[in-house]
Amino acid sequence: MISEASEKSMETITKEQARRFLLRKQGLIGNKRFKGKEGILSYIHQVGCLQYDPIDVCGKNAQLVLQSRVDKFKKQDLEDLLYQERKLVDYYDKVMSIFPIEDWVYFHRIRLRHRLYGRSQVEINEVRSSIHHQIRHNGPICSRDLKHTAKVDWYWSATQLSRAALESMYFDGDLIIHHRKNTMKYYDVSEKYIPKEVLEAEDPFENDLDFIKWRILRRIGSVGFLWNKPSDAFIYIEMNASQRTQAFHELVKEGKLEKFHIEGRTEPFYLLTQDVPLLDASIRLEPIALRMEFLAPLDNLLWDRKLIKFLFGFEYTWEIYVPESKRKYGYYCLPVLWGDRLVARIEAVNDKKTKTLVVKGLWVEPTIRVTRKFQNELKKTLKRFMDFNAMETLEFNPEAIHILKEG
């Protein structure tokens, strides 16, 4: 294993300077610089991918990420870019993700690995050609449109062959998602929508290490900076600690990564070399407008929760999978960013029948005073959030506000 101590380090910066860099990189501080569909594309190109999740309580995860960064973001704009204009595609990167369609070429190894080693391939291959035939003659289909009801072994649990076959053909690149209707996925053949030069491109990586290095660069760019240690930011990258350290070392040696230190930690942090000027600008700590945003639960900024706890003093758990009796906050709580601090959590739910945004709870950090300025910013942010969700009224009982205690 290569020792990190042998690598050249940059200066040590403060936590505040580090926070400012991350937030500037993410477009979460100062005036919003991303606007409209071009802003959506610009941000996604910058971070590589957005994590997709279908649950819709007050917007889906990818939509929530974009509404906090793209001025006057509209949910339909993302749908258009995915399923009409085909400038984006949903496929596996950091689990299920949304990324630019031209990046399809970089995931050749994932598709090939699934084609060679995916589950229940014998059963799936027996129906593959008939599914292709049905799609070409009838158009996009979902699993309900197929009659293959036999149960087969699948990743989460045994499932019907119809579902396993469509998902397998999607995993190995034969099919893409044509559109979604609620949680149901409709599939069509990839060659209709992915440019031929992209679809038929050869694997751009000579070996697995090159692929790992590319993915580490992509994840660091997704967050802003990371450390060389186990992290949720590295989910779905098949590598061990030795491979990860070798990849970091080589990327520094190649001039693609620079490293620096943050007060209070001994290990180095790594950022893209191209982002060094942005770090330098952030170190100056120029005055900023106190902008407030509600962040997505799987927001790119939050991909490494331990890093967020260290920098922001904010411990965030997405409690959607926590039994109700054990939740500290709410089912679908969103972190609240104000300036360069994470100041609260909010649980807001769309009541679509009455077109009402219902605030079920607001939990304010113990170090934050609920001043008139804070309340005014919260009102403005809730109004924008209502517009994003097409809600017409707000239900927010003062009893829903909770001031957390130290410790």
Side-chain angles (χ1 to χ4, degrees):
M1 182 179 293
I2 299 164
S3 170
E4 291 185 1
S6 66
E7 297 175 4
K8 180 183 176 182
S9 65
M10 294 174 65
E11 63 185 296
T12 299
I13 66 173
T14 67
K15 290 183 184 180
E16 184 180 11
Q17 290 167 330
R19 291 197 302 268
R20 292 286 184 96
F21 167 77
L22 283 183
L23 296 173
R24 291 182 70 168
K25 170 78 172 176
Q26 289 288 339
L28 285 169
I29 204 166
N31 295 325
K32 288 186 176 180
R33 68 176 189 267
F34 300 108
K35 300 181 187 298
K37 285 186 178 179
E38 288 306 312
I40 295 171
L41 292 173
S42 178
Y43 176 70
I44 295 177
H45 275 94
Q46 173 186 297
V47 297
C49 73
L50 307 182
Q51 193 165 340
Y52 177 85
D53 187 86
I55 297 169
D56 190 348
V57 173
C58 54
K60 298 175 184 177
N61 184 76
Q63 298 167 343
L64 289 164
V65 172
L66 293 169
Q67 64 82 32
S68 64
R69 293 158 169 85
V70 179
D71 191 33
K72 296 181 176 61
F73 168 75
K74 296 180 179 64
K75 296 177 183 179
Q76 188 59 47
D77 286 347
L78 181 58
E79 293 293 302
D80 290 347
L81 290 168
L82 274 166
Y83 306 125
Q84 299 298 323
E85 301 173 32
R86 301 287 170 180
K87 293 181 179 179
L88 301 172
V89 65
D90 34 12
Y91 188 70
Y92 280 85
D93 185 347
K94 184 183 184 288
V95 298
M96 176 62 77
S97 301
I98 294 170
F99 56 78
I101 200 162
E102 58 266 31
D103 287 359
W104 179 266
V105 300
Y106 298 109
F107 297 93
H108 182 278
R109 285 173 182 256
I110 289 178
R111 294 190 293 274
L112 179 60
R113 187 178 297 124
H114 186 271
R115 184 179 288 272
L116 294 175
Y117 306 113
R119 296 193 182 183
S120 299
Q121 288 297 301
V122 172
E123 296 90 336
I124 289 167
N125 286 336
E126 289 177 354
V127 300
R128 185 183 290 266
S129 62
S130 67
I131 291 174
H132 265 291
H133 179 81
Q134 184 169 338
I135 292 175
R136 290 182 186 282
H137 283 78
N138 300 333
I141 64 172
C142 66
S143 58
R144 292 175 184 170
D145 298 321
L146 299 176
K147 307 302 181 184
H148 308 299
T149 58
K151 289 293 184 77
V152 296
D153 177 45
W154 203 233
Y155 294 95
W156 302 277
S157 62
T159 192
Q160 288 190 351
L161 178 57
S162 56
R163 176 192 172 192
L166 287 172
E167 289 188 354
S168 181
M169 293 168 72
Y170 166 69
F171 293 160
D172 62 31
D174 281 355
L175 304 179
I176 65 167
I177 295 174
H178 180 269
H179 69 280
R180 297 174 185 263
K181 187 174 182 180
N182 298 321
T183 58
M184 183 63 69
K185 297 185 286 290
Y186 287 77
Y187 299 89
D188 205 343
V189 292
S190 300
E191 62 193 51
K192 287 185 182 180
Y193 307 99
I194 298 179
K196 185 177 181 180
E197 64 273 16
V198 173
L199 194 64
E200 297 181 357
E202 295 183 359
D203 184 357
F205 304 107
E206 292 187 4
N207 52 57
D208 285 342
L209 181 60
D210 284 346
F211 186 40
I212 289 170
K213 287 161 61 177
W214 178 80
R215 300 195 81 186
I216 286 174
L217 283 175
R218 186 173 177 86
R219 298 293 173 83
I220 291 174
S222 293
V223 177
F225 60 76
L226 288 168
W227 37 23
N228 175 16
K229 60 195 304 182
S231 168
D232 285 347
F234 296 137
I235 284 175
Y236 210 61
I237 302 179
E238 294 186 5
M239 61 181 177
N240 56 37
S242 177
Q243 290 171 316
R244 189 183 67 239
T245 296
Q246 182 179 358
F248 270 92
H249 174 78
E250 291 189 10
L251 288 167
V252 170
K253 188 175 180 180
E254 292 166 5
K256 296 175 182 177
L257 287 180
E258 293 285 347
K259 70 175 193 169
F260 63 99
H261 291 270
I262 301 175
E263 61 179 4
R265 305 293 299 209
T266 57
E267 67 269 73
F269 294 83
Y270 298 80
L271 80 162
L272 303 181
T273 300
Q274 66 194 48
D275 285 336
V276 169
L278 183 62
L279 179 63
D280 291 339
S282 302
I283 288 173
R284 293 195 288 269
L285 293 179
E286 297 170 349
I288 57 167
L290 287 179
R291 169 177 150 200
M292 183 177 285
E293 297 290 352
F294 302 155
L295 303 184
L298 302 172
D299 195 287
N300 295 55
L301 177 69
L302 307 175
W303 280 2
D304 191 317
R305 303 287 168 82
K306 292 180 181 178
L307 178 62
I308 292 301
K309 183 179 179 181
F310 164 60
L311 288 178
F312 291 83
F314 188 86
E315 191 165 6
Y316 177 66
T317 300
W318 191 30
E319 295 186 314
I320 194 167
Y321 300 116
V322 176
E324 186 174 1
S325 61
K326 296 183 178 180
R327 288 180 195 141
K328 293 177 64 177
Y329 307 108
Y331 170 79
Y332 203 89
C333 266
L334 309 181
V336 180
L337 176 73
W338 191 31
D340 64 356
R341 301 296 302 275
L342 290 167
V343 298
R345 297 161 179 81
I346 189 167
E347 184 180 21
V349 177
N350 290 334
D351 185 336
K352 295 180 180 178
K353 290 183 179 179
T354 63
K355 289 192 173 296
T356 300
L357 182 70
V358 181
V359 178
K360 299 181 71 173
L362 177 73
W363 293 266
V364 181
E365 289 292 283
T367 56
I368 303 301
R369 294 176 57 211
V370 184
T371 61
R372 182 169 294 181
K373 187 173 185 179
F374 177 94
Q375 292 173 323
N376 289 338
E377 281 297 317
L378 181 62
K379 288 177 182 177
K380 288 193 294 184
T381 308
L382 283 167
K383 177 60 171 65
R384 285 191 283 111
F385 204 64
M386 287 170 60
D387 293 341
F388 155 68
N389 280 297
M391 297 292 109
E392 297 175 355
T393 57
L394 175 68
E395 181 182 312
F396 188 4
N397 191 316
E399 294 181 359
I401 300 177
H402 311 277
I403 310 299
L404 299 177
K405 295 180 180 179
E406 292 279 2

